[in-house]
Amino acid sequence: MSDANPKPLPSANDFDPDLPSNRMVFDVRRDNSVWPHFRKRLEELMSQYGLSEPEKEAFRAIDVRRLAELGVHPYFLPQITRLFHGSAGNTTKSAAAEAYRKSWGDKIVEHRPEAN
C-alpha cells in the first residue's frame, strides 16, 4: 500500500518536550516499581499522564513510528519497545528490536559488518 503523500520522517530534533508520552516514558523507565508492569498497567498509566487518543492508539499498537510523528523523543522510541518486550537478550533479533523494525519498515538501515 503506497501513500501518495508520505509524511517526512521525523528528525532527531522533531519532538515535543511537553508531550504527555515523553513524561510518562521518562518517569516509568526510572521507577523500578512500575516498569516491570508497564504492559499490564498501560491503560492506567496513559490515563494518569493524560495521553491524547492518538498517543494511546500508538502505544496500544506499539507503533513507535507513529509515536515519533506525534512528538515522542527519539531516544525513547527503542525504550518503549523494551518496556513492552523486555531487554533480556537485547540483540538485533530480540522481540523489542523486531517491534521497532516493524514500525519503521523499510526505513531501518541494517548494520552490515565491513568485509575484511
Side-chain angles (χ1 to χ4, degrees):
M1 160 161 78
S2 170
D3 189 349
N5 296 311
K7 232 180 177 177
L9 294 176
S11 76
N13 294 320
D14 292 334
F15 69 95
D16 178 354
D18 298 320
L19 189 72
S21 290
N22 285 319
R23 174 50 59 188
M24 181 181 78
V25 174
F26 179 83
D27 289 348
V28 167
R29 289 175 40 255
R30 300 173 52 150
D31 189 335
N32 289 334
S33 69
V34 177
W35 69 259
H37 312 286
F38 178 74
R39 184 184 280 252
K40 183 171 59 177
R41 294 185 55 195
L42 180 61
E43 295 298 326
E44 168 196 344
L45 290 164
M46 291 190 301
S47 291
Q48 178 183 335
Y49 282 87
L51 273 63
S52 67
E53 199 53 42
E55 288 171 278
K56 290 177 182 180
E57 290 170 5
F59 268 100
R60 289 177 189 126
I62 315 175
D63 187 345
V64 293
R65 182 175 181 167
R66 179 68 179 126
L67 288 167
E69 291 168 352
L70 291 168
V72 170
H73 193 286
Y75 175 77
F76 290 152
L77 300 174
Q79 303 297 318
I80 290 166
T81 63
R82 290 184 190 110
L83 285 170
F84 279 101
H85 296 288
S87 59
N90 196 16
T91 68
T92 59
K93 300 298 180 197
S94 70
E98 291 296 329
Y100 190 83
R101 187 175 292 105
K102 179 182 174 190
S103 287
W104 290 99
D106 64 353
K107 303 304 178 200
I108 292 286
V109 177
E110 295 291 335
H111 171 72
R112 291 183 178 64
E114 293 181 28
N116 293 348

